[in-house]
Amino acid sequence: MKLISVVLSGGAGTRLWPASRQAYPKPFMKLGGSALLEQAIARGQACGTDDVLIVTNQDHLFLTQNLVAEMAQPPRVSYLLEPKGRNTAPAIALAALAVAQQHGRDAVMLVLAADHLIPDTSAFVANALQAARYAQQGQLVVFGIQPTGPETGFGYIEVAKVGGEAQPVIKFVEKPNLATAQEYLATGRYYWNSGMFCFAAGTMLDALAQHSPEVLAAAQNAMVSSQAQAGQGTTEGIRVLDLGLVCRDCEPWPKHLH
């Protein structure tokens, strides 16, 4: 199995201002002794990934390169750069196209957020490797976080019952108000949506083609444009991608994940 880390590194982190701000966003904040982005990369390495694809804003390229260069065991890194941040689905569509092109449709993508603090690395690795096995079987896996309170800043995932083994997702819901979040917790059927995923590149591309074809089409157009730029001297391993206005009204995520 070819396992590739895809790190989504974006967001100004306005709730953490002034420690996090547009010029120095959340992924570069040091919590627990190192930057959150460095922790995300190391988390993937702990799962056995040697290749890392980082999706980030083009303004943060040099910050990111410096961070990677200073790691004790820097991985092989390639970059997808966005002139303007989009939501999760376009970023994942771009990453899936890039991974499929470079490593094949069967390559498994471990999609990590660059702003998470996860102290228990061994527990995460065990869950991630289990997710990778499901991904090899054609499943789209999302990581849920067991809620500790009625948080209104997260999306939620409904399942049959929180806890235990992996199980099918019933539905995804956007960030709720406080009363709705309290109702979710009372049912014992909702996780927080971590924004971390695992799937084969080809499985995701097929899902996007079925459920969000406009997102996939915009990503494909951006990739074609970036390849043309590469032929004009763009640095190898770095692609600048602009999805343009076509994604302004795109669905934030495929509507039916299994």
Side-chain angles (χ1 to χ4, degrees):
M1 175 181 65
K2 183 68 175 180
L3 184 62
I4 309 296
S5 286
V6 176
V7 181
L8 305 182
S9 180
T14 53
R15 285 182 295 178
L16 298 175
W17 186 90
S20 174
R21 53 199 182 276
Q22 195 68 41
Y24 202 78
K26 279 186 295 182
F28 301 98
M29 289 178 55
K30 288 190 175 183
L31 293 175
S34 58
L36 294 176
L37 173 56
E38 180 180 349
Q39 293 179 41
I41 295 169
R43 206 169 288 132
Q45 290 177 300
C47 296
T49 65
D50 292 320
D51 293 275
V52 180
L53 175 62
I54 299 177
V55 185
T56 190
N57 188 285
Q58 63 181 10
D59 293 338
H60 302 147
L61 173 62
F62 297 122
L63 278 173
T64 304
Q65 289 178 317
N66 289 339
L67 181 147
V68 171
E70 292 174 358
M71 292 181 64
Q73 295 180 310
R76 292 189 298 267
V77 180
S78 55
Y79 298 90
L80 295 180
L81 305 180
E82 298 177 299
K84 182 178 180 181
R86 306 288 176 179
N87 59 28
T88 303
I92 286 179
L94 291 167
L97 287 168
V99 170
Q101 185 180 76
Q102 186 172 356
H103 302 285
R105 286 173 54 90
D106 291 335
V108 174
M109 300 168 57
L110 179 61
V111 181
L112 305 173
D115 59 358
H116 285 6
L117 181 65
I118 304 176
D120 193 342
T121 299
S122 60
F124 175 82
V125 170
N127 281 282
L129 294 180
Q130 182 185 17
R133 289 191 289 271
Y134 281 112
Q136 284 186 293
Q137 299 167 16
Q139 299 293 317
L140 296 163
V141 183
V142 58
F143 293 84
I145 301 172
Q146 190 159 339
T148 57
E151 175 61 54
T152 59
F154 298 138
Y156 283 71
I157 304 166
E158 184 181 7
V159 296
K161 185 179 180 181
V162 168
E165 293 297 312
Q167 54 189 307
V169 170
I170 296 173
K171 68 178 179 182
F172 292 85
V173 292
E174 292 300 317
K175 298 173 183 178
N177 59 32
L178 180 58
T180 303
Q182 290 170 333
E183 292 176 8
Y184 288 165
L185 263 64
T187 67
R189 299 200 309 267
Y190 287 86
Y191 285 105
W192 289 336
N193 187 343
S194 71
M196 297 187 294
F197 308 90
C198 191
F199 40 73
T203 304
M204 174 50 66
L205 293 174
D206 291 343
L208 287 165
Q210 181 178 358
H211 299 297
S212 292
E214 69 282 11
V215 173
L216 180 58
Q220 289 169 329
N221 290 336
M223 292 296 286
V224 169
S225 176
S226 77
Q227 288 168 346
Q229 293 176 25
Q232 299 170 5
T234 302
T235 303
E236 184 177 358
I238 300 174
R239 291 184 178 179
V240 180
L241 301 134
D242 190 357
L243 288 172
L245 294 178
V246 70
C247 274
R248 179 180 56 193
D249 298 317
C250 291
E251 291 287 344
W253 191 253
K255 296 176 182 176
H256 305 287
L257 293 183
H258 304 292

